[in-house]
Amino acid sequence: MIDFDSRRCRLTSPTAMPLAAGFLWNPRMMIHMTARGFATAQFMQPEPSKYARGPILEQKHFMLPEQGVYAHHPGRFFYVKDREDGALFSAPHEPVRTAPDAFAFEVAPTELSWRVDKGGVRVELRLGLPVADTVELWEARVINLDARPRRLSLYPAFPLGLMSWMNQSADFAPDLNGVVGRCVTGYQKVEDYFKNKSLKDMTVLLSEQTPLAFETRQARFEGEGGLHRPDALNGARMENGVALYENPIAAMQFDHDLAPGESVTHRFLFGPAFDVAEAAALKARHLSEAGFAAARAAYADHMAQGQGALNVDGGDAHLDAFVNAWLPRQVHYHADTQRLSTDPQTRNFLQDAIGAVYIRPEWTRAVLIKALSQQREDGAMPDGVTLYDGAELKYINQIPHSDHSVWLALLLEAYLDETDDYAVLDEGVTSADGRTLSVRERVSAANQWLIHHVDHRGLNFIEQGDWNDPMNMVGWKGKGVSGWLSLATAHSLRLWAEILARAGHDGDMYAAAAERFRAACNAHLWDGDWYARGITDDDVRFGVHSDAEGALYLNPQSFALMSGAADAEQALRLVAAVEARAETPYGVEMIVPAYTHMREDVGRLTQKFPGVAENGAVYNHAAIFYIYALYQVKEAEKAFDLLCKMLVGPDTQDYLRRGQLPVFVPNYYRGAHRQFPQASGRSSHLFNTGAASWLYRTVIEGLYGLKGGREGLWVRPQLPQSWAGARVTRRFRGALFEIDIRRGKPGLSVDGVAQADNCIRNIDAGRTYRVEVMI
């Protein structure tokens, strides 16, 4: 059913995994396409916008967890009709849903494609994107596989949905050779008119070939047959209908008489435009065989910029394929798009940059400078980072959260270890108030804010949330504290003290502060087997044994291990507690037991369905914190077991249970395994997640133990006992390291010369090193 390697992932059933999907992006847009033909797409202008919509007014959102689809969900449909007997099918699969004779949906790093065979006819579809333009490039090839001539009609039909409640229409434009849908974005305030004047309120489906007929009225296109068997396809030709203030569709008709073995290829361009002139320029640039070829080549080059730092041949081919191609691709997506936001949450902005260290370190550096330029005067980091002048903090970024400053030292550790660019610490950064301070001074100020933003116990205030942003009622009165953040602050302070020392500065005050935070956490949060999640405004500890729900939270345990707050005995106890209570066949859950009703002193996370998102899911961002921490304390076997559970597959039952292709790590899998086992493991299908960056870092620095430092490259693999060894290629500071890991008497040799320890020093950029490491 699924064939998977580093070059592609192929699904051979349109029905076994109804939500299985792949995604493509460029820096200005993203499209998520299901195997069956439904699409969720978005582009930036500069705020997130859509060019194909639902049939009714939508709440503004992009993708939802476990995104459902429906008959009129935006889709990209290609109907094929036999003009002899009227037989009809559609590709990819929706909306006719005729059982194919053969089916394949293939996700490759640079394109999505389908092959659908039915009744002696094959349809091959390819979807690609250009690098700089916000348009979809579709290629449809119809092949006669039969031994007799076939008289066929092809109908591409792309519903445009409710474009606007104010003004919408569509018609065929002969000069463009395509359907043009027009609208006026709805608004009420006068000032919004001036913002909306520059919006791309036109959506076009342009064809390389001239159609025989067209239809732009969705209701008339469907008639009584609906999308399943549209009335417009019953006659010899469509009616050339014009949509006048009604939901439009971009549908065209092409008739072909194909001899046995003969084929015909169509190319289409679908996307937004500001006006006819822009649409014409897009057509001239892309809509030809040469234009598609040029776009594919440029897109492949752009994707190659996201090449990872690692290529592995270990003891698990499934994991190898994911690590070599798909995981760095997902990391690149986050770096390239900033999650298609103009005001990414600061924590996301900084953590996505941690992963980019291994593929685009210069982008990580730019993120650091950009974020620090918006630091508040008191040293705290803002809830969101605005990416252009005039952008505003929206939605969640208008709610005060307490954790954003803690990520700076974590980002710098990864960046400096990979690049040794300690000069960045002295670079001046000017903020909105006109003050210019060095990176070192600004990160010190952020850590000082964390040191002082504490209650009488020395624990960090939580405000209306921390990393767990729906934990909004623990501290809304100004008294509640975050156990996780206090542990994370201890970790941040320890890292910052070490960075300062390596840079020749005195970090003792931060090291001492880290020890104070560790002591406070042990005094007030240790609950005998694990650390509490926090203390509410009303002085109630939660995330403790006595809680019937939400007794154990994963994040404090992870950062207790990272920060060194947990001693050896505590580490053993908390790891055992997590294993007994939170581990499942699909990974480690974030909260156990999941909440089944609102807890008003915790917040809206407890209103989420048990096992969904932050309320007890296998929330992969939290899970990878824990796995990373396990590698830090040399719990390699457990870390590897949980790491493998984070990936989909490779057996068929796991694919069917999770319902997702193994081409990305999702935001979460359903949890509450002990409460609702029938739903556990189901994928959210959301690929916006900080888990990707941390997973890549964990594989590189934990599993394969290839971590940089001021001295050079440290080689300390932690392979699972089931592996005899591994071969790894690591790109690091401009050099290439070909590493052979085997079992035997521990030691390291470089180009045949034994080393005194496990560090490779004096690295020359451009050189290839051959490394043997025995473990």
Side-chain angles (χ1 to χ4, degrees):
M1 184 183 71
I2 289 181
D3 187 14
F4 174 70
D5 60 30
S6 61
R7 294 164 297 133
R8 50 99 179 95
C9 178
R10 182 183 295 121
L11 172 67
T12 56
S13 168
T15 57
M17 300 166 61
L19 296 181
F23 68 97
L24 299 172
W25 80 90
N26 66 33
R28 298 177 58 200
M29 70 173 292
M30 200 288 304
I31 181 167
H32 170 265
M33 281 291 310
T34 73
R36 296 167 67 94
F38 289 122
T40 302
Q42 193 154 296
F43 76 107
M44 307 298 289
Q45 64 164 347
E47 293 294 336
S49 303
K50 293 189 177 183
Y51 51 94
R53 305 159 175 86
I56 60 174
L57 194 64
E58 294 182 323
Q59 181 181 357
K60 288 193 72 172
H61 59 74
F62 181 26
M63 288 183 65
L64 297 173
E66 305 181 46
Q67 173 78 61
V69 295
Y70 47 93
H72 285 84
H73 190 94
R76 315 292 188 256
F77 309 136
F78 294 84
Y79 297 88
V80 177
K81 185 180 77 173
D82 188 317
R83 300 201 309 277
E84 296 288 348
D85 60 12
L88 186 72
F89 73 98
S90 61
H93 184 67
E94 300 285 350
V96 177
R97 299 184 177 181
T98 302
D101 300 328
F103 174 90
F105 169 55
E106 189 166 296
V107 181
T110 58
E111 70 174 14
L112 307 179
S113 62
W114 292 260
R115 189 188 71 241
V116 183
D117 292 357
K118 181 64 180 178
V121 177
R122 173 174 294 169
V123 177
E124 296 177 347
L125 303 175
R126 298 174 71 183
L127 168 61
L129 301 179
V131 173
D133 292 319
T134 54
V135 292
E136 304 168 24
L137 304 178
W138 284 91
E139 186 174 272
R141 184 175 179 228
V142 182
I143 308 166
N144 179 10
L145 302 177
D146 215 334
R148 61 185 175 89
R150 302 295 295 270
R151 301 180 64 232
L152 304 172
S153 293
L154 174 69
Y155 306 88
F158 290 22
L160 304 184
L162 176 59
M163 299 183 74
S164 169
W165 52 264
M166 277 185 62
N167 185 324
Q168 60 176 355
S169 63
D171 196 359
F172 185 82
D175 291 347
L176 291 175
N177 213 31
V179 171
V180 177
R182 293 179 172 86
C183 75
V184 175
T185 296
Y187 68 97
Q188 301 288 349
K189 301 175 182 177
V190 169
E191 54 266 30
D192 287 339
Y193 166 74
F194 298 98
K195 294 180 182 178
N196 293 355
K197 281 175 62 175
S198 60
L199 296 182
K200 297 186 178 186
D201 276 346
M202 178 185 291
T203 301
V204 299
L205 177 64
L206 308 183
S207 172
E208 185 181 25
Q209 300 185 29
T210 302
L212 172 68
F214 64 88
E215 181 58 75
T216 68
R217 303 163 296 178
Q218 179 152 347
R220 192 61 176 259
F221 176 81
E222 293 186 32
E224 294 301 307
L227 285 171
H228 180 69
R229 191 175 182 93
D231 283 5
L233 276 54
N234 291 336
R237 57 189 295 169
M238 294 194 292
E239 297 178 356
N240 293 349
V242 177
L244 305 172
Y245 192 63
E246 54 192 303
N247 280 12
I249 191 170
M252 304 182 204
Q253 178 179 350
F254 302 89
D255 285 359
H256 297 291
D257 295 335
L258 299 181
E262 188 179 4
S263 67
V264 60
T265 298
H266 290 266
R267 279 171 279 270
F268 303 96
L269 182 153
F270 183 62
F274 177 71
D275 54 18
V276 169
E278 182 180 15
L282 290 169
K283 178 184 177 184
R285 189 152 55 243
H286 298 301
L287 198 49
S288 65
E289 183 176 7
F292 269 45
R296 285 191 187 109
Y299 191 79
D301 288 343
H302 183 71
M303 290 296 106
Q305 295 176 17
Q307 181 185 27
L310 201 68
N311 190 275
V312 300
D313 179 10
D316 186 325
H318 188 75
L319 176 63
D320 291 350
F322 185 71
V323 167
N324 289 340
W326 302 101
L327 181 54
R329 179 181 187 263
Q330 189 177 4
V331 171
H332 184 206
Y333 159 75
H334 287 86
D336 217 19
T337 66
Q338 290 85 56
R339 306 195 187 195
L340 290 179
S341 170
T342 61
D343 63 322
Q345 288 178 279
T346 303
R347 76 171 67 91
N348 292 341
F349 195 48
L350 296 175
Q351 287 182 89
D352 290 347
I354 288 175
V357 160
Y358 308 103
I359 58 173
R360 292 170 61 183
E362 71 282 358
W363 187 84
T364 299
R365 195 182 202 275
V367 163
L368 175 68
I369 301 301
K370 181 74 169 179
L372 287 173
S373 73
Q374 297 179 30
Q375 186 176 28
R376 295 186 340 211
E377 190 173 351
D378 64 359
M381 295 300 291
D383 280 281
V385 176
T386 53
L387 298 183
Y388 73 96
D389 291 340
E392 299 176 349
L393 297 182
K394 299 178 290 296
Y395 311 118
I396 194 68
N397 286 338
Q398 296 176 337
I399 309 300
H401 294 84
S402 58
D403 67 301
H404 298 292
S405 298
V406 84
W407 304 106
L408 289 168
L410 278 67
L411 169 63
L412 270 167
E413 181 206 20
Y415 176 72
L416 295 173
D417 282 349
E418 191 70 7
T419 65
D420 201 34
D421 177 24
Y422 277 76
V424 74
L425 297 178
D426 295 318
E427 182 163 330
V429 180
T430 304
S431 52
D433 60 10
R435 291 191 308 157
T436 299
L437 299 172
S438 68
V439 167
R440 176 170 53 83
E441 290 171 317
R442 290 195 174 277
V443 177
S444 289
N447 277 290
Q448 284 288 341
W449 183 85
L450 289 166
I451 289 171
H452 296 298
H453 195 64
V454 297
D455 73 346
H456 62 281
R457 289 167 287 234
L459 302 175
N460 285 120
F461 290 115
I462 191 172
E463 300 180 12
Q464 292 184 43
D466 51 28
W467 175 91
N468 196 332
D469 46 41
M471 192 177 285
N472 64 327
M473 296 179 75
V474 174
W476 69 282
K477 299 175 185 177
K479 298 179 181 179
V481 295
S482 167
W484 164 77
L485 180 57
S486 301
L487 289 158
T489 294
H491 184 50
S492 171
L493 293 170
R494 180 178 64 81
L495 293 179
W496 186 232
E498 292 171 356
I499 290 169
L500 289 174
R502 288 195 291 268
H505 298 282
D506 183 3
D508 288 349
M509 66 174 293
Y510 297 102
E515 179 53 38
R516 292 198 302 272
F517 272 89
R518 288 192 291 266
C521 290
N522 278 309
H524 301 290
L525 300 173
W526 179 248
D527 195 46
D529 292 298
W530 61 79
Y531 288 86
R533 183 56 173 85
I535 305 174
T536 72
D537 282 320
D538 299 320
D539 205 31
V540 176
R541 287 201 315 168
F542 68 101
V544 294
H545 284 79
S546 57
D547 287 327
E549 296 181 341
L552 172 62
Y553 281 71
L554 186 63
N555 274 1
Q557 321 323 317
S558 304
F559 281 77
L561 296 177
M562 286 188 217
S563 67
D567 63 24
E569 176 62 24
Q570 289 171 310
L572 287 173
R573 294 182 73 86
L574 72 84
V575 168
V578 170
E579 179 179 358
R581 293 170 176 255
E583 290 187 17
T584 79
Y586 314 106
V588 59
E589 293 172 340
M590 180 174 164
I591 298 172
V592 289
Y595 293 98
T596 59
H597 61 279
M598 174 64 164
R599 178 169 167 173
E600 289 190 351
D601 62 349
V602 173
R604 67 183 179 89
L605 90 84
T606 68
Q607 293 180 291
K608 298 191 177 188
F609 193 84
V612 168
E614 293 91 345
N615 187 15
V618 176
Y619 201 87
N620 283 319
H621 196 169
I624 195 58
F625 285 154
Y626 184 61
I627 296 167
Y628 178 84
L630 289 174
Y631 276 116
Q632 302 310 296
V633 297
K634 305 298 186 280
E635 287 277 1
E637 290 299 312
K638 180 165 290 297
F640 183 73
D641 176 62
L642 293 175
L643 187 151
C644 289
K645 289 177 179 177
M646 189 173 287
L647 309 185
V648 182
D651 65 274
T652 299
Q653 287 306 309
D654 194 65
Y655 284 130
L656 294 174
R657 180 79 176 201
R658 306 205 201 206
Q660 181 202 302
L661 300 181
V663 296
F664 60 89
V665 57
N667 177 258
Y668 70 79
Y669 303 109
R670 285 275 193 101
H673 180 68
R674 294 156 183 82
Q675 296 161 279
F676 300 100
Q678 65 272 34
S680 65
R682 189 180 303 168
S683 174
S684 66
H685 296 275
L686 294 178
F687 41 83
N688 280 356
T689 171
S693 280
W694 280 90
L695 177 55
Y696 201 40
R697 184 183 191 185
T698 298
V699 169
I700 292 171
E701 297 184 359
L703 175 60
Y704 287 103
L706 302 172
K707 179 178 173 64
R710 289 236 73 175
E711 307 88 345
L713 180 65
W714 288 92
V715 184
R716 296 164 173 161
Q718 296 189 61
L719 303 188
Q721 289 297 323
S722 59
W723 289 12
R727 298 186 67 85
V728 187
T729 300
R730 170 77 153 98
R731 285 165 286 281
F732 179 75
R733 297 183 188 171
L736 193 66
F737 296 83
E738 296 178 349
I739 304 166
D740 185 12
I741 307 170
R742 288 176 288 143
R743 298 202 178 272
K745 182 180 179 181
L748 178 76
S749 66
V750 179
D751 294 329
V753 179
Q755 305 296 297
D757 58 17
N758 276 55
C759 186
I760 304 172
R761 295 173 170 82
N762 303 316
I763 294 168
D764 296 325
R767 180 177 165 186
T768 297
Y769 294 82
R770 289 171 175 81
V771 181
E772 292 187 354
V773 56
M774 305 296 285
I775 60 172

